[in-house]
Amino acid sequence: MSSHAGFHVTKPGFFTLLQDAGRRGVMHMGLTSGGAMDRHAWAWANRLLGNRYGTPALEITFGGAAFTSGLNTQIVVTGAEVQLTVNGKPKPLWTTIRVNAGDSVSLSAPRAGVRSYFAVRGGFIVNTDLGNSCATVVREGTGGLHSNGQPLGQGDLIPCSDATPPAANRKIPSQWIPDYHEPLTLNVISCAQVDRFSEAVFETFFDNIYTLSPQADRMGARLTGPALEVADRTLISEGTSLGAIQVPADGQPIILLNDRQTIGGYPKLGAVTPRSLDALAQRPPGTQLRFREIPLPEAQQEERQFLAFFRTAGSV
């Protein structure tokens, strides 16, 4: 690999991170999973290029990023509705694009959605750490280009393979491209602590609209809406799961996300399903949303189908 085989960051944007499928088997060490917030968009970016599931890509929050290619390769940008240009010429999203050494690639601020995913043929070549992952977790100082948890900065060079032959040009079927403007309803499965909430609390939760607070990040999505009463306001701290809906003392629910703390002591009303978290990851503060309870087998089947589809992708 030559010293210039990669993408130079000419404009890092608001918050650009290297992300993969996240860390596994590390929570006992107090480390969170990290990983792509919108797995749907991230996984499609890699699949269109023939990359294996788990291949690192860039997660670009609120756009405004620019890169210069140091090699001839293919890229895909999925997720938020940004204006994607190569050398100033508009290019389609959710579609493989050929770029040459010296080409400039730019992403505007999004018209809809929050996070874009920038993948390259063969994947970015970066070091992995605990959990065999490069997932960037700023709070923990893990992962990323320099294995220190820092976002990408101007002047960084993100290496990638210059020996991978091009794949066939592909684009996603239109029915698989989400509409980030549509009303958002999140699917929820119940959890072991349902007995700590009254029937009236569940009626309040499922019958009302909640709003995504500006206090939302990769750790958790804070919501504002009708307060939820809970019998025991605190518990003995226990392990937390992705999507868990905590109810703190003020009664305003918090959905725990990829960079959550590994333990928590607030009662949990249920958990948002992984596929619904993909949709949540693309909604900005101020978004109104509802919740819908679904049975566990339905959520499990949805996840099995997702993984079965994307894990069949390989280098082609």
Side-chain angles (χ1 to χ4, degrees):
M1 187 170 66
S2 71
S3 61
H4 298 289
F7 281 81
H8 294 265
V9 180
T10 53
K11 187 179 178 182
F14 173 73
F15 193 58
T16 299
L17 307 174
L18 272 160
Q19 295 293 354
D20 53 21
R23 291 180 178 81
R24 296 293 178 266
V26 295
M27 286 186 67
H28 67 287
M29 295 185 286
L31 297 175
T32 194
S33 58
M37 291 279 283
D38 179 359
R39 287 187 311 159
H40 177 264
W42 163 81
W44 262 116
N46 279 314
R47 184 179 177 91
L48 287 168
L49 291 163
N51 296 341
R52 298 186 186 281
Y53 186 83
T55 299
L58 305 184
E59 180 180 273
I60 302 168
T61 302
F62 292 124
F67 310 87
T68 300
S69 179
L71 72 166
N72 302 336
T73 188
Q74 289 169 294
I75 64 170
V76 169
V77 175
T78 61
E81 294 177 20
V82 298
Q83 176 69 69
L84 171 66
T85 63
V86 176
N87 298 328
K89 297 180 180 179
K91 297 293 181 180
L93 303 176
W94 305 87
T95 303
T96 56
I97 298 167
R98 292 180 183 268
V99 296
N100 297 316
D103 285 350
S104 61
V105 180
S106 298
L107 289 74
S108 72
R111 295 183 293 269
V114 172
R115 294 175 171 90
S116 300
Y117 291 88
F118 180 122
V120 62
R121 171 73 170 159
F124 294 106
I125 302 173
V126 291
N127 293 328
T128 58
D129 53 17
L130 295 166
N132 194 30
S133 169
C134 75
T136 310
V137 181
V138 175
R139 177 175 57 86
E140 294 177 348
T142 53
L145 182 62
H146 305 292
S147 300
N148 60 0
Q150 290 303 299
L152 291 175
Q154 185 173 352
D156 279 340
L157 170 64
I158 319 158
C160 52
S161 174
D162 60 357
T164 306
N169 289 329
R170 299 171 175 170
K171 63 179 180 180
I172 188 175
S174 58
Q175 66 267 27
W176 286 93
I177 299 178
D179 179 359
Y180 301 135
H181 292 284
E182 70 179 4
L184 182 60
T185 298
L186 301 178
N187 290 334
V188 174
I189 55 175
S190 60
C191 71
Q193 293 166 359
V194 293
D195 58 346
R196 296 179 182 272
F197 300 90
S198 68
E199 188 64 33
V201 167
F202 283 100
E203 289 179 3
T204 298
F205 181 69
F206 286 109
D207 291 348
N208 285 280
I209 293 174
Y210 284 82
T211 302
L212 187 60
S213 164
Q215 293 179 294
D217 54 21
R218 286 183 50 92
M219 286 184 64
R222 293 179 179 269
L223 307 176
T224 58
L228 304 173
E229 292 291 331
V230 60
D232 298 315
R233 295 190 180 275
T234 57
L235 307 171
I236 296 174
S237 291
E238 60 184 5
T240 60
S241 64
L242 181 65
I245 305 167
Q246 287 188 338
V247 182
D250 64 2
Q252 300 297 310
I254 303 170
I255 304 171
L256 303 185
L257 302 176
N258 299 54
D259 292 2
R260 67 197 180 279
Q261 293 178 324
T262 55
I263 59 173
Y266 292 123
K268 289 165 284 294
L269 182 147
V272 176
T273 65
R275 294 294 290 112
S276 282
L277 292 177
D278 293 341
L280 178 62
Q282 294 293 0
R283 297 314 201 271
T287 295
Q288 294 187 327
L289 54 90
R290 288 183 174 274
F291 295 94
R292 177 174 72 101
E293 186 173 13
I294 65 169
L296 178 60
E298 181 179 333
Q300 291 172 325
Q301 179 64 14
E302 191 178 59
E303 182 68 2
R304 278 195 296 267
Q305 289 174 342
F306 174 89
L307 293 175
F309 178 75
F310 284 109
R311 284 181 173 170
T312 58
S315 296
V316 293

